[in-house]
Amino acid sequence: MALWRNSATLSVHGALTGSNDGQLSDIAARSLRSVLMESEPITVKSDPAIESGALTTEGKASGTLIGGSLTMLATAAGWALPSLRGAILLIESDGIAIGQFERDLTMLVRAGHLDGIAGVAIGHISGTPPNPPIDAIGLLRQNLEGFGVSILGGLPIGHDPDARSVLIGAQTQIDADSGTLTQPARA
């Protein structure tokens, strides 16, 4: 995010985890290779089996893809987080307590960091045990629905052995109706 904010340099979000032997899965490796070495459009299809798929709304949105780990978004606020006006916000999370999840999300919303977002893309939200009646998906729904933008959940992006790679800082379209995140061909 700091690279984009300070120099409009694209970066890669993906291929975050490997198996126990330190190797990327074939799916993650192909996705990373495609982002780094090919010029074709990048398309990531939503998977309804991924819990965040329950957050999908309808419609389309376009903008620069900015984001990643919720913890990193909150940490970057105020010094490295670029403006999210007109952006597609990418959120994924792994292994943080529900209280920290709620604090990070609430701070971003109430401090105005999400004002003007064009849409939201949500990847894996895992490893955050609920504290009934609060859970991570409910907190996302509660905090994001007021923005009135298209939300595409269920994206296989984030902390998962088969994580797909995307370009942070690239123009991106989300289509909640067809369940796709697309980044155009690169020169």
Side-chain angles (χ1 to χ4, degrees):
M1 290 178 284
L3 281 171
W4 180 254
R5 178 179 175 173
N6 294 316
S7 65
T9 300
L10 296 178
S11 59
V12 176
H13 182 74
L16 299 172
T17 60
S19 62
N20 290 336
D21 62 3
Q23 300 295 309
L24 292 175
S25 75
D26 288 341
I27 292 170
R30 275 194 309 271
S31 179
L32 179 60
R33 188 176 305 111
S34 175
V35 166
L36 292 174
M37 299 178 179
E38 298 173 10
S39 59
E40 288 80 26
I42 298 164
T43 300
V44 179
K45 184 83 173 137
S46 177
D47 180 350
I50 296 173
E51 187 178 13
S52 68
L55 296 166
T56 299
T57 60
E58 58 186 27
K60 298 178 183 178
S62 296
T64 303
L65 186 68
I66 303 291
S69 162
L70 177 61
T71 299
M72 293 297 102
L73 283 163
T75 300
W79 70 277
L81 185 64
S83 170
L84 296 174
R85 289 198 175 279
I88 302 296
L89 172 64
L90 172 63
I91 298 175
E92 55 90 359
S93 178
D94 180 58
I96 61 174
I98 193 71
Q100 183 67 44
F101 189 96
E102 182 176 27
R103 281 188 298 278
D104 289 348
L105 187 58
T106 300
M107 184 279 298
L108 289 167
V109 171
R110 293 203 177 153
H113 294 291
L114 307 188
D115 292 351
I117 56 174
V120 182
I122 305 175
H124 288 283
I125 305 295
S126 56
T128 299
N131 186 2
I134 301 171
D135 67 17
I137 299 301
L139 287 170
L140 284 164
R141 181 177 290 111
Q142 176 184 340
N143 281 279
L144 297 174
E145 67 184 7
F147 289 98
V149 299
S150 294
I151 298 173
L152 176 59
L155 292 166
I157 297 172
H159 293 75
D160 184 77
D162 292 331
R164 304 322 190 275
S165 296
V166 291
L167 290 169
I168 300 298
Q171 284 301 306
T172 301
Q173 180 179 51
I174 58 170
D175 184 337
D177 300 323
S178 69
T180 56
L181 177 151
T182 306
Q183 296 181 314
R186 297 160 317 279

